[in-house]
């Protein structure tokens, strides 16, 4: 067994030994050794400079245990797949409602059976990033879903993958799901992450997306928390083949300490990627959005647009890196982060980066941070709106900018309602 120098690393080791017995021992061992070489990241690691996860996970909680008698309320008109307390729960899911050409398999089952296609995806270079927490997820993954969408299949109704923690005592959860879309397939997927209690849960979840040529995916991620002591790491790993299109939107509401990280590789010509999202944080929430967009082939396009609304003593982080590989000519990439601080104690850290190794590209980035526009606020108040309503109107408009391009009207309505509800909570 690999030994780690840190107390936190030693505490994770029994979990690793337990999960090796659940299948994929070779894959888990390779991931554990990668994690062991790095350990939990601290502020000396450049990509974790603004987020001290090592302190947050100094005492890892025991693995979550599946239990019965739990009800998970619906938020969307979707075909729902529920992963509760680290285990896929078919009895809480709409498996029978999946349309023809779409299949679902529990990850735990695929690992136990060493399903070749699944193992290849989990072990691919696209998944093995430099991130220690993603390696830890591979070593300790409990369950999740494998969703396959066949060639040419178009799904009209969204499919929701809901990863929920319900434990009444502190627990850890390590889940991983795969979405594999065939040539020309089209779908909308909702990724929901939340907790039903306010205990200090520790959640590490990953979603791996692979889009075949000309596949189109709209992905909406919604993360919420129930307490400032909760810690969550959410990783998205995406691979786009020729002419594939991924539009990924995210709404993060508080959630204690949350790290949302995205590793996207454009590995086919004329592929298109849009990463957009809004963060709503208050109290002592700490929300870190870190992404790496890797343009490996010519004629690729990427757009990143993020909005942060920070109140109280909350902190926001945006780290974005666009890499253009040699030969990836005609790449078009634009990255933008904007933040509004609603209190004197809120803080925002922006770190955009470009690494360009081709000479015929158009790439740029920008970041702003400040208060609400005084002129706009005065304009609204001069027309009779109370200050609180005027502020709410400006903030809601600012946050909704992050969801331009999302064509699903029910989802847009849901997002607007959640932003409005958050603002109402602030006023209270």
């Amino acid at each position: 067994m690999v030994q780690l120098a840190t107390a936190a690393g030693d505490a994770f080791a029994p979990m690793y030994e337990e999960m090796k017995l659940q299948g994929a021992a070779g894959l888990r061992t390779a991931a554990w050794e990668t994690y062991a070489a790095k350990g939990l990241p601290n502020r000396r690691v450049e990509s974790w400079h603004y987020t001290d996860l090592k302190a947050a996970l100094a005492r890892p909680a025991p693995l979550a245990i599946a239990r019965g008698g739990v009800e998970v309320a619906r938020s969307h008109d979707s075909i729902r797949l529920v992963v509760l307390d680290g285990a896929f729960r078919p009895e809480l899911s709409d498996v029978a409602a999946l349309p023809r050409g779409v299949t679902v398999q529990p990850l735990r089952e695929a690992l136990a059976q060493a399903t070749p296609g699944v193992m290849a995806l989990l072990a691919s270079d696209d998944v093995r990033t430099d991130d220690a927490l993603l390696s830890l997820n591979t070593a300790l993954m409990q369950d999740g879903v494998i969703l396959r969408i066949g060639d040419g299949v178009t799904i009209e109704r969204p499919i929701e993958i809901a990863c929920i923690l319900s434990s009444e005592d502190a627990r850890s959860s390590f889940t991983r799901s795969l979405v594999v879309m065939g040539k020309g397939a089209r779908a909308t997927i909702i990724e929901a992450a939340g907790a039903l209690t306010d205990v200090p849960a520790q959640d590490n979840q990953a979603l791996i997306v692979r889009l075949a040529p000309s596949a189109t995916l709209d992905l909406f991620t919604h993360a919420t928390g129930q307490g400032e002591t909760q810690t969550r790491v959410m990783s998205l790993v995406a691979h786009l083949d020729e002419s594939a299109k991924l539009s990924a939107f995210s709404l993060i509401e508080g959630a204690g300490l949350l790290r949302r990280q995205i590793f996207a590789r454009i590995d086919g010509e004329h592929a298109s990627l849009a990463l957009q999202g809004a963060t709503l944080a208050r109290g002592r929430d700490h929300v870190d959005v870190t992404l790496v967009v890797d343009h490996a082939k010519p004629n690729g396009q990427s757009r990143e647009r993020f909005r942060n609304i920070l109140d109280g003593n909350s902190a926001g982080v945006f780290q974005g890196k666009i890499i253009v590989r040699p030969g990836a000519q005609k790449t078009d990439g634009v990255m933008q982060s904007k933040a509004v601080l609603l209190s004197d104690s809120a803080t925002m850290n922006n770190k955009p980066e470009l690494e360009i190794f081709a000479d015929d590209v158009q790439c740029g980035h920008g970041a702003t941070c400040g208060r609400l526009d005084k002129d706009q606020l005065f304009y609204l108040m001069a027309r009779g709106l109370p200050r609180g309503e005027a502020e709410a109107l400006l903030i809601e408009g600012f946050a909704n900018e992050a969801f331009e391009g999302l064509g699903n009207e029910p989802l847009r309505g849901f997002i607007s309602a959640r932003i409005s509800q958050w603002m109402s909570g602030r006023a209270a």
Side-chain angles (χ1 to χ4, degrees):
M1 180 178 70
V2 178
Q3 297 293 326
L4 297 185
T6 66
D10 291 339
F12 281 120
M15 299 183 191
Y16 160 64
E17 294 296 335
E18 176 184 347
M19 295 312 300
K20 274 201 306 183
L21 302 177
Q22 304 299 319
L27 177 63
R28 293 183 191 273
T29 298
W32 177 259
E33 290 176 350
T34 299
Y35 166 72
K38 297 176 180 294
L40 286 173
N42 55 45
R43 293 184 183 274
R44 292 191 299 274
V45 178
E46 183 178 357
S47 61
W48 289 86
H49 179 70
Y50 301 105
T51 300
D52 190 0
L53 195 70
K54 188 173 183 179
L57 297 181
R59 296 179 179 273
L63 286 173
I65 301 174
R67 61 194 186 98
V70 179
E71 295 185 4
V72 181
R74 286 186 178 273
S75 299
H76 308 281
D77 178 19
S78 61
I79 302 170
R80 190 170 63 167
L81 305 173
V82 177
V83 180
L84 181 65
D85 296 324
F88 175 55
R89 301 291 291 273
E91 75 278 12
L92 300 177
S93 304
D94 304 322
V95 177
L98 290 171
R100 180 175 297 181
V102 181
T103 63
V104 64
Q105 180 185 21
L107 179 72
R108 183 188 298 265
E109 176 185 292
L111 295 177
Q113 298 174 356
T115 305
V118 174
M119 302 304 290
L121 284 174
L122 291 176
S124 70
D125 291 337
D126 304 312
V127 177
R128 288 201 305 267
T129 70
D130 249 355
D131 187 72
L133 268 295
L134 192 57
S135 295
L136 185 63
N137 178 277
T138 306
L140 303 182
M141 54 188 170
Q142 298 166 273
D143 205 354
V145 297
I146 302 166
L147 189 67
R148 296 182 177 88
I149 302 173
D151 292 351
V153 173
T154 295
I155 304 173
E156 300 296 339
R157 190 178 174 195
I159 296 176
E160 179 180 2
I161 302 173
C163 294
I164 308 297
L165 284 173
S166 70
S167 300
E168 296 179 353
D169 56 350
R171 291 285 176 176
S172 295
S173 176
F174 295 85
T175 59
R176 174 168 293 205
S177 293
L178 306 181
V179 175
V180 183
M181 297 186 62
K183 295 180 180 179
R186 303 178 66 90
T188 297
I189 291 177
I190 301 170
E191 179 191 23
L196 303 182
T197 61
D198 61 357
V199 298
Q202 299 170 359
D203 188 18
N204 183 333
Q205 65 185 68
L207 177 64
I208 314 301
V209 173
R210 182 149 194 139
L211 304 185
S214 300
T216 299
L217 173 63
D218 284 348
L219 173 66
F220 171 57
T221 299
H222 183 213
T224 60
Q226 293 287 346
E228 293 182 354
T229 60
Q230 295 181 345
T231 302
R232 175 175 286 122
V233 178
M234 300 181 68
S235 301
L236 169 64
V237 181
H239 182 283
L240 286 71
D241 283 341
E242 182 180 357
S243 299
K245 182 178 181 180
L246 171 62
S247 298
F249 304 86
S250 63
L251 176 63
I252 298 172
E253 300 180 62
L257 190 158
L258 187 147
R259 163 89 164 198
R260 167 68 167 165
Q261 50 185 22
I262 302 172
F263 306 98
R265 182 177 175 87
I266 295 178
D267 207 20
E269 287 199 53
H270 303 287
S272 175
L273 172 70
L275 304 175
Q276 300 177 203
T279 292
L280 310 174
R282 61 163 60 100
R284 296 188 178 276
D285 292 331
H286 180 105
V287 180
D288 178 341
V289 176
T290 295
L291 58 93
V292 178
V293 177
D294 189 348
H295 286 265
K297 293 294 173 63
N299 299 297
Q301 182 185 83
S302 65
R303 296 288 185 268
E304 295 79 47
R305 177 192 294 175
F306 288 86
R307 300 291 183 263
N308 298 270
I309 299 95
L310 308 173
D311 202 359
N313 295 308
S314 64
V317 178
F318 174 79
Q319 298 181 106
K321 178 186 290 186
I322 296 176
I323 302 173
V324 182
R325 301 290 179 183
Q329 306 293 355
K330 304 295 183 181
T331 289
D332 182 0
V334 178
M335 181 166 51
Q336 184 187 75
S337 169
K338 292 184 178 181
V340 169
L341 306 183
L342 302 180
S343 77
D344 293 335
S345 303
T347 59
M348 181 69 200
N349 300 281
N350 282 306
K351 186 187 176 186
E353 298 179 77
L354 299 175
E355 292 185 5
I356 301 174
F357 303 99
D359 55 12
D360 186 8
V361 303
Q362 295 184 40
C363 291
H365 62 71
T368 63
C369 181
R371 300 282 192 173
L372 287 174
D373 189 294
K374 292 182 179 180
D375 291 338
Q376 292 180 347
L377 192 60
F378 174 80
Y379 176 86
L380 294 175
M381 293 176 64
R383 277 148 183 79
L385 283 181
R387 183 182 182 89
E389 292 183 20
E391 288 182 343
L393 189 62
L394 290 177
I395 293 169
E396 289 174 23
F398 176 77
N400 276 306
E401 289 178 359
F403 303 100
E404 293 178 3
L406 178 60
N408 187 293
E409 288 303 321
L411 278 181
R412 290 184 66 90
F414 171 81
I415 292 167
S416 294
R418 295 296 301 191
I419 295 172
S420 179
Q421 182 178 343
W422 187 85
M423 287 302 303
S424 298
R426 177 177 182 266

